[in-house]
Amino acid sequence: MTSTNDEGLRREIGILGLAANTLNRTIGAGIFVLPAFVASFLGETSILAYLFCGFLMMLIMLCFSEIGSKITVTGGAYAYIHAAFGPYAGFLANTMFWFVGILADAAIANAMADTLSIYLPILTELPFRALFFLIVFGLFTYVNILGVKHGDNTVKINTLIKLVPLVILILAGFFGTSIENLKWHSLPTISKLGEASLLLFFAFAGGEASLNVSGELKNPKRVVPLGILSGMGAVVLFYILIQTVSQGVLGADLVNQSEAPLAAVANKVIGSFGSTLMIIGAAFSMFAALSGSVLSYPRVIFAGANKGWMPKIMAKVHPKFATPYIAIITYAALDFIFSISGGFKELAIIASASLLTVYLGVVLATIKLRLNENGKIDDFRLPAGITIPILAAISILWFLSNLAIKEVSSLAIFLVVLSIIYYLITFFGKKKNKEIEI
């Protein structure tokens, strides 16, 4: 039986739905080009970067699992930071999170159109490209307004379909792998491993957005840890298998296939059909990732509106479908505008730094809430006290320290602008309340 939370939303997403969205939001277009980039740093030892980044990301997702089983309202990472550090930190996290989602979606939508333009050249022309984006975002808007169950089922189906080409590649590549290509002739330097890991880390990011629908999970205490960890575990496994097969089939030639390494692998083990399958698979993978975004990120806008940080209309819930329909329409409209404008390219530089900042906020929130616990707790708890969150925080700080000065300075400016907006909202909100009281 479906239950409704205090926000008026229905709890209809289970473990499979959360795991599928985690997998879907993480495995996007990047995996179709990453093997060659990572190999250019580490060669036959590329697998080390995947193991290292996978381990660090699992530390972070473990923190999401613990705090997500405690705080079960809509908003995901934003809600966790707000609960631990108050409204100012919550506002910063809320705005950074959904804004970064829009920047990512705009990049994905344009990459999808570029990929499809190989077969549909008209997508290089702005009017047809805009119409294509309108159809895509319009479709996802309609599906998600109809109910969270419809959006969840769409993500499940899209995730299954997007994995089919990758599974075929892994199976075919396994039989075409040369053991000689996988032999290590030397170990990479720490600096090379660091460079590759910094590049690769963001390929593991994105799954945390699946928790934005926390208010619509059936039994968060159970669904959050099982769903997020199984989804991320599957991501790590897929990445390792794909890199191994790519290295095993192409060997030293992998670094020369920077534009489409998986298409090159598929062409060698399957034939020309394999290359076509990978190109179509890459396009559909992006399409599926966008379906997950339109399911997840509008919930952050909805949660922000409930706190008074967005126009109150964004907090409206559909009387029949119990979905935040105005927030969904608004988010999809912003996705469309940024996708056709190209303006996201200048702003995208803040995305990686913003995401790492949100991660750090969630990890620190996990530590704070754990230290503030009193008495017996029946939520999901990490072993060894706060050891795992501390290790996760150290890893995030390391990644932040390796960002370019331009990224860090852009983040600082962004935070200053958001701080000004927050204090303006707070000032005029208090002034309005005083006028009402008078």
Side-chain angles (χ1 to χ4, degrees):
M1 184 175 178
T2 301
S3 62
T4 302
N5 68 10
D6 295 336
E7 301 164 300
L9 306 178
R10 294 173 186 159
R11 293 193 177 277
E12 297 191 311
I13 300 178
I15 295 170
L16 180 59
L18 181 58
N21 202 13
T22 302
L23 187 66
N24 176 46
R25 284 291 309 141
T26 309
I27 297 182
I31 190 57
F32 290 85
V33 295
L34 270 176
F37 281 110
V38 180
S40 68
F41 286 96
L42 302 178
E44 66 272 12
T45 61
S46 296
I47 197 71
L48 289 175
Y50 286 88
L51 292 171
F52 180 64
C53 285
F55 172 72
L56 295 182
M57 184 54 75
M58 287 302 289
L59 290 178
I60 296 169
M61 288 301 107
L62 281 167
C63 295
F64 272 87
S65 297
E66 174 165 313
I67 198 168
S69 69
K70 292 184 176 73
I71 301 167
T72 61
V73 295
T74 300
Y78 137 72
Y80 311 151
I81 293 171
H82 180 269
F85 301 113
Y88 172 61
F91 171 79
L92 295 179
N94 181 281
T95 310
M96 282 194 294
F97 209 31
W98 63 258
F99 188 64
V100 166
I102 288 171
L103 296 181
D105 288 353
I108 291 170
N110 277 279
M112 177 173 63
D114 290 341
T115 302
L116 290 175
S117 66
I118 296 171
Y119 303 105
L120 298 170
I122 60 170
L123 289 179
T124 59
E125 300 174 28
L126 185 58
F128 292 103
R129 200 177 184 91
L131 178 61
F132 173 65
F133 292 152
L134 184 64
I135 292 171
V136 169
F137 290 118
L139 172 65
F140 292 145
T141 300
Y142 175 72
V143 169
N144 280 283
I145 287 175
L146 288 180
V148 69
K149 198 167 188 177
H150 291 281
D152 182 42
N153 287 336
T154 299
V155 167
K156 288 178 185 174
I157 293 168
N158 286 345
T159 303
L160 181 62
I161 294 172
K162 79 187 286 185
L163 292 180
V164 169
L166 297 177
V167 171
I168 291 174
L169 178 75
I170 291 168
L171 293 176
F174 176 77
F175 293 102
T177 291
S178 168
I179 299 299
E180 191 62 34
N181 289 337
L182 297 176
K183 288 182 178 179
W184 295 3
H185 299 98
S186 62
L187 289 175
T189 62
I190 296 297
S191 61
K192 279 292 182 183
L193 180 60
E195 288 180 62
S197 298
L198 188 61
L199 165 74
L200 189 57
F201 180 80
F202 296 102
F204 283 90
E208 73 289 332
S210 62
L211 288 172
N212 294 349
V213 296
S214 295
E216 292 152 289
L217 298 178
K218 289 179 181 177
N219 178 7
K221 292 181 181 180
R222 180 170 179 269
V223 169
V224 169
L226 290 177
I228 197 78
L229 294 178
S230 60
M232 187 52 63
V235 168
V236 175
L237 179 62
F238 262 97
Y239 279 0
I240 288 174
L241 289 174
I242 290 169
Q243 184 69 37
T244 301
V245 163
S246 300
Q247 185 68 45
V249 171
L250 297 180
D253 190 44
L254 178 58
V255 297
N256 301 320
Q257 306 296 331
S258 58
E259 291 189 4
L262 295 198
V265 173
N267 184 63
K268 188 167 183 179
V269 296
I270 301 175
S272 58
F273 169 73
S275 298
T276 302
L277 180 64
M278 288 303 109
I279 293 172
I280 294 173
F284 189 85
S285 184
M286 294 179 244
F287 176 83
L290 291 175
S291 73
S293 287
V294 181
L295 169 66
S296 301
Y297 284 107
R299 270 66 183 179
V300 182
I301 294 177
F302 167 79
N306 274 327
K307 295 293 183 183
W309 299 328
M310 299 284 286
K312 200 65 182 174
I313 193 172
M314 302 291 179
K316 289 192 71 173
V317 176
H318 197 285
K320 180 180 178 181
F321 304 124
T323 52
Y325 67 108
I326 301 297
I328 293 171
I329 293 170
T330 301
Y331 182 82
L334 289 170
D335 266 351
F336 172 73
I337 291 169
F338 272 80
S339 295
I340 62 173
S341 70
F344 71 92
K345 292 177 182 177
E346 288 73 31
L347 296 168
I349 194 168
I350 67 172
S352 56
S354 296
L355 186 59
L356 282 168
T357 304
V358 171
Y359 280 171
L360 182 61
V362 171
V363 171
L364 295 178
T366 305
I367 294 172
K368 183 177 180 182
L369 294 182
R370 173 66 82 92
L371 294 176
N372 290 344
E373 284 178 353
N374 291 310
K376 186 179 179 182
I377 304 297
D378 60 356
D379 304 321
F380 173 78
R381 286 169 62 87
L382 298 174
I386 59 172
T387 303
I388 290 175
I390 287 174
L391 291 174
I394 292 171
S395 68
I396 295 168
L397 289 171
W398 179 76
F399 280 111
L400 279 168
S401 70
N402 282 280
L403 292 177
I405 296 297
K406 193 174 181 181
E407 290 178 292
V408 176
S409 58
S410 296
L411 174 64
I413 294 169
F414 188 39
L415 290 175
V416 169
V417 172
L418 291 183
S419 298
I420 293 170
I421 293 172
Y422 172 78
Y423 284 110
L424 287 174
I425 292 172
T426 304
F427 174 76
F428 286 109
K430 288 179 179 177
K431 187 175 180 181
K432 185 177 179 181
N433 290 334
K434 285 182 180 178
E435 290 175 354
I436 291 172
E437 288 174 5
I438 293 171

PDB file of all heavy atoms in Angstrom, residues 138-156:
ATOM      1  N   GLY A 138      10.155  17.699 -23.022  1.00  0.00           N
ATOM      2  CA  GLY A 138       8.695  17.681 -22.908  1.00  0.00           C
ATOM      3  C   GLY A 138       8.180  16.298 -22.543  1.00  0.00           C
ATOM      4  O   GLY A 138       7.276  16.153 -21.712  1.00  0.00           O
ATOM      5  N   LEU A 139       8.771  15.272 -23.158  1.00  0.00           N
ATOM      6  CA  LEU A 139       8.381  13.888 -22.867  1.00  0.00           C
ATOM      7  C   LEU A 139       8.642  13.539 -21.414  1.00  0.00           C
ATOM      8  O   LEU A 139       7.763  13.001 -20.718  1.00  0.00           O
ATOM      9  CB  LEU A 139       9.164  12.931 -23.784  1.00  0.00           C
ATOM     10  CG  LEU A 139       9.016  11.428 -23.488  1.00  0.00           C
ATOM     11  CD1 LEU A 139       7.578  10.973 -23.720  1.00  0.00           C
ATOM     12  CD2 LEU A 139       9.977  10.618 -24.352  1.00  0.00           C
ATOM     13  N   PHE A 140       9.830  13.852 -20.919  1.00  0.00           N
ATOM     14  CA  PHE A 140      10.167  13.526 -19.531  1.00  0.00           C
ATOM     15  C   PHE A 140       9.327  14.342 -18.537  1.00  0.00           C
ATOM     16  O   PHE A 140       8.981  13.846 -17.462  1.00  0.00           O
ATOM     17  CB  PHE A 140      11.657  13.773 -19.275  1.00  0.00           C
ATOM     18  CG  PHE A 140      12.563  12.824 -20.019  1.00  0.00           C
ATOM     19  CD1 PHE A 140      13.789  13.248 -20.512  1.00  0.00           C
ATOM     20  CD2 PHE A 140      12.188  11.509 -20.239  1.00  0.00           C
ATOM     21  CE1 PHE A 140      14.624  12.375 -21.192  1.00  0.00           C
ATOM     22  CE2 PHE A 140      13.016  10.623 -20.926  1.00  0.00           C
ATOM     23  CZ  PHE A 140      14.227  11.066 -21.393  1.00  0.00           C
ATOM     24  N   THR A 141       9.015  15.561 -18.904  1.00  0.00           N
ATOM     25  CA  THR A 141       8.150  16.375 -18.049  1.00  0.00           C
ATOM     26  C   THR A 141       6.774  15.731 -17.911  1.00  0.00           C
ATOM     27  O   THR A 141       6.248  15.584 -16.799  1.00  0.00           O
ATOM     28  CB  THR A 141       7.987  17.795 -18.642  1.00  0.00           C
ATOM     29  OG1 THR A 141       9.272  18.413 -18.743  1.00  0.00           O
ATOM     30  CG2 THR A 141       7.093  18.664 -17.764  1.00  0.00           C
ATOM     31  N   TYR A 142       6.208  15.344 -19.023  1.00  0.00           N
ATOM     32  CA  TYR A 142       4.881  14.725 -19.024  1.00  0.00           C
ATOM     33  C   TYR A 142       4.861  13.445 -18.197  1.00  0.00           C
ATOM     34  O   TYR A 142       3.974  13.241 -17.348  1.00  0.00           O
ATOM     35  CB  TYR A 142       4.459  14.428 -20.468  1.00  0.00           C
ATOM     36  CG  TYR A 142       3.159  13.672 -20.598  1.00  0.00           C
ATOM     37  CD1 TYR A 142       1.935  14.291 -20.320  1.00  0.00           C
ATOM     38  CD2 TYR A 142       3.147  12.327 -20.993  1.00  0.00           C
ATOM     39  CE1 TYR A 142       0.735  13.590 -20.439  1.00  0.00           C
ATOM     40  CE2 TYR A 142       1.954  11.626 -21.107  1.00  0.00           C
ATOM     41  CZ  TYR A 142       0.761  12.266 -20.831  1.00  0.00           C
ATOM     42  OH  TYR A 142      -0.425  11.562 -20.941  1.00  0.00           O
ATOM     43  N   VAL A 143       5.844  12.578 -18.417  1.00  0.00           N
ATOM     44  CA  VAL A 143       5.906  11.298 -17.701  1.00  0.00           C
ATOM     45  C   VAL A 143       6.033  11.512 -16.200  1.00  0.00           C
ATOM     46  O   VAL A 143       5.346  10.851 -15.401  1.00  0.00           O
ATOM     47  CB  VAL A 143       7.085  10.446 -18.219  1.00  0.00           C
ATOM     48  CG1 VAL A 143       7.323   9.243 -17.297  1.00  0.00           C
ATOM     49  CG2 VAL A 143       6.822   9.964 -19.637  1.00  0.00           C
ATOM     50  N   ASN A 144       6.868  12.454 -15.797  1.00  0.00           N
ATOM     51  CA  ASN A 144       7.110  12.662 -14.364  1.00  0.00           C
ATOM     52  C   ASN A 144       5.972  13.387 -13.659  1.00  0.00           C
ATOM     53  O   ASN A 144       5.780  13.208 -12.462  1.00  0.00           O
ATOM     54  CB  ASN A 144       8.436  13.405 -14.164  1.00  0.00           C
ATOM     55  CG  ASN A 144       9.632  12.478 -14.268  1.00  0.00           C
ATOM     56  OD1 ASN A 144       9.935  11.722 -13.351  1.00  0.00           O
ATOM     57  ND2 ASN A 144      10.302  12.511 -15.411  1.00  0.00           N
ATOM     58  N   ILE A 145       5.213  14.177 -14.388  1.00  0.00           N
ATOM     59  CA  ILE A 145       4.042  14.816 -13.787  1.00  0.00           C
ATOM     60  C   ILE A 145       2.964  13.767 -13.503  1.00  0.00           C
ATOM     61  O   ILE A 145       2.248  13.850 -12.496  1.00  0.00           O
ATOM     62  CB  ILE A 145       3.489  15.931 -14.706  1.00  0.00           C
ATOM     63  CG1 ILE A 145       4.421  17.144 -14.664  1.00  0.00           C
ATOM     64  CG2 ILE A 145       2.077  16.353 -14.262  1.00  0.00           C
ATOM     65  CD1 ILE A 145       4.036  18.254 -15.624  1.00  0.00           C
ATOM     66  N   LEU A 146       2.869  12.759 -14.355  1.00  0.00           N
ATOM     67  CA  LEU A 146       1.844  11.725 -14.185  1.00  0.00           C
ATOM     68  C   LEU A 146       1.989  10.936 -12.893  1.00  0.00           C
ATOM     69  O   LEU A 146       1.051  10.276 -12.453  1.00  0.00           O
ATOM     70  CB  LEU A 146       1.870  10.750 -15.371  1.00  0.00           C
ATOM     71  CG  LEU A 146       1.331  11.271 -16.709  1.00  0.00           C
ATOM     72  CD1 LEU A 146       1.423  10.189 -17.766  1.00  0.00           C
ATOM     73  CD2 LEU A 146      -0.107  11.751 -16.570  1.00  0.00           C
ATOM     74  N   GLY A 147       3.146  10.964 -12.283  1.00  0.00           N
ATOM     75  CA  GLY A 147       3.350  10.247 -11.022  1.00  0.00           C
ATOM     76  C   GLY A 147       4.776   9.785 -10.885  1.00  0.00           C
ATOM     77  O   GLY A 147       5.441   9.475 -11.874  1.00  0.00           O
ATOM     78  N   VAL A 148       5.277   9.747  -9.644  1.00  0.00           N
ATOM     79  CA  VAL A 148       6.654   9.335  -9.416  1.00  0.00           C
ATOM     80  C   VAL A 148       6.869   7.883  -9.845  1.00  0.00           C
ATOM     81  O   VAL A 148       7.968   7.504 -10.270  1.00  0.00           O
ATOM     82  CB  VAL A 148       7.033   9.525  -7.931  1.00  0.00           C
ATOM     83  CG1 VAL A 148       6.293   8.551  -7.022  1.00  0.00           C
ATOM     84  CG2 VAL A 148       8.546   9.396  -7.728  1.00  0.00           C
ATOM     85  N   LYS A 149       5.805   7.086  -9.780  1.00  0.00           N
ATOM     86  CA  LYS A 149       5.926   5.686 -10.201  1.00  0.00           C
ATOM     87  C   LYS A 149       6.208   5.592 -11.697  1.00  0.00           C
ATOM     88  O   LYS A 149       6.986   4.747 -12.148  1.00  0.00           O
ATOM     89  CB  LYS A 149       4.641   4.926  -9.851  1.00  0.00           C
ATOM     90  CG  LYS A 149       4.813   3.417  -9.846  1.00  0.00           C
ATOM     91  CD  LYS A 149       3.627   2.743  -9.190  1.00  0.00           C
ATOM     92  CE  LYS A 149       3.895   1.248  -9.007  1.00  0.00           C
ATOM     93  NZ  LYS A 149       2.778   0.573  -8.312  1.00  0.00           N
ATOM     94  N   HIS A 150       5.572   6.480 -12.473  1.00  0.00           N
ATOM     95  CA  HIS A 150       5.814   6.491 -13.921  1.00  0.00           C
ATOM     96  C   HIS A 150       7.250   6.919 -14.210  1.00  0.00           C
ATOM     97  O   HIS A 150       7.928   6.315 -15.057  1.00  0.00           O
ATOM     98  CB  HIS A 150       4.830   7.454 -14.610  1.00  0.00           C
ATOM     99  CG  HIS A 150       3.417   6.993 -14.588  1.00  0.00           C
ATOM    100  ND1 HIS A 150       2.928   6.030 -15.452  1.00  0.00           N
ATOM    101  CD2 HIS A 150       2.368   7.347 -13.796  1.00  0.00           C
ATOM    102  CE1 HIS A 150       1.647   5.814 -15.203  1.00  0.00           C
ATOM    103  NE2 HIS A 150       1.279   6.597 -14.194  1.00  0.00           N
ATOM    104  N   GLY A 151       7.703   7.962 -13.522  1.00  0.00           N
ATOM    105  CA  GLY A 151       9.080   8.410 -13.705  1.00  0.00           C
ATOM    106  C   GLY A 151      10.069   7.335 -13.296  1.00  0.00           C
ATOM    107  O   GLY A 151      11.077   7.116 -13.975  1.00  0.00           O
ATOM    108  N   ASP A 152       9.791   6.657 -12.196  1.00  0.00           N
ATOM    109  CA  ASP A 152      10.658   5.589 -11.698  1.00  0.00           C
ATOM    110  C   ASP A 152      10.704   4.418 -12.678  1.00  0.00           C
ATOM    111  O   ASP A 152      11.776   3.888 -12.974  1.00  0.00           O
ATOM    112  CB  ASP A 152      10.129   5.121 -10.332  1.00  0.00           C
ATOM    113  CG  ASP A 152      10.992   4.033  -9.716  1.00  0.00           C
ATOM    114  OD1 ASP A 152      12.229   4.140  -9.776  1.00  0.00           O
ATOM    115  OD2 ASP A 152      10.421   3.058  -9.180  1.00  0.00           O
ATOM    116  N   ASN A 153       9.545   4.024 -13.214  1.00  0.00           N
ATOM    117  CA  ASN A 153       9.498   2.922 -14.178  1.00  0.00           C
ATOM    118  C   ASN A 153      10.229   3.281 -15.467  1.00  0.00           C
ATOM    119  O   ASN A 153      10.888   2.425 -16.082  1.00  0.00           O
ATOM    120  CB  ASN A 153       8.047   2.546 -14.484  1.00  0.00           C
ATOM    121  CG  ASN A 153       7.380   1.808 -13.331  1.00  0.00           C
ATOM    122  OD1 ASN A 153       8.052   1.189 -12.514  1.00  0.00           O
ATOM    123  ND2 ASN A 153       6.069   1.865 -13.250  1.00  0.00           N
ATOM    124  N   THR A 154      10.117   4.535 -15.881  1.00  0.00           N
ATOM    125  CA  THR A 154      10.826   4.987 -17.082  1.00  0.00           C
ATOM    126  C   THR A 154      12.330   4.857 -16.885  1.00  0.00           C
ATOM    127  O   THR A 154      13.052   4.385 -17.779  1.00  0.00           O
ATOM    128  CB  THR A 154      10.471   6.459 -17.398  1.00  0.00           C
ATOM    129  OG1 THR A 154       9.062   6.560 -17.630  1.00  0.00           O
ATOM    130  CG2 THR A 154      11.225   6.959 -18.620  1.00  0.00           C
ATOM    131  N   VAL A 155      12.816   5.251 -15.712  1.00  0.00           N
ATOM    132  CA  VAL A 155      14.246   5.150 -15.416  1.00  0.00           C
ATOM    133  C   VAL A 155      14.692   3.686 -15.402  1.00  0.00           C
ATOM    134  O   VAL A 155      15.748   3.345 -15.939  1.00  0.00           O
ATOM    135  CB  VAL A 155      14.571   5.823 -14.066  1.00  0.00           C
ATOM    136  CG1 VAL A 155      15.977   5.455 -13.591  1.00  0.00           C
ATOM    137  CG2 VAL A 155      14.441   7.333 -14.183  1.00  0.00           C
ATOM    138  N   LYS A 156      13.890   2.821 -14.784  1.00  0.00           N
ATOM    139  CA  LYS A 156      14.233   1.386 -14.745  1.00  0.00           C
ATOM    140  C   LYS A 156      14.373   0.815 -16.156  1.00  0.00           C
ATOM    141  O   LYS A 156      15.342   0.113 -16.475  1.00  0.00           O
ATOM    142  CB  LYS A 156      13.150   0.611 -13.990  1.00  0.00           C
ATOM    143  CG  LYS A 156      13.130   0.819 -12.490  1.00  0.00           C
ATOM    144  CD  LYS A 156      11.969   0.030 -11.888  1.00  0.00           C
ATOM    145  CE  LYS A 156      11.814   0.287 -10.406  1.00  0.00           C
ATOM    146  NZ  LYS A 156      10.606  -0.363  -9.851  1.00  0.00           N
TER     147      LYS A 156
END
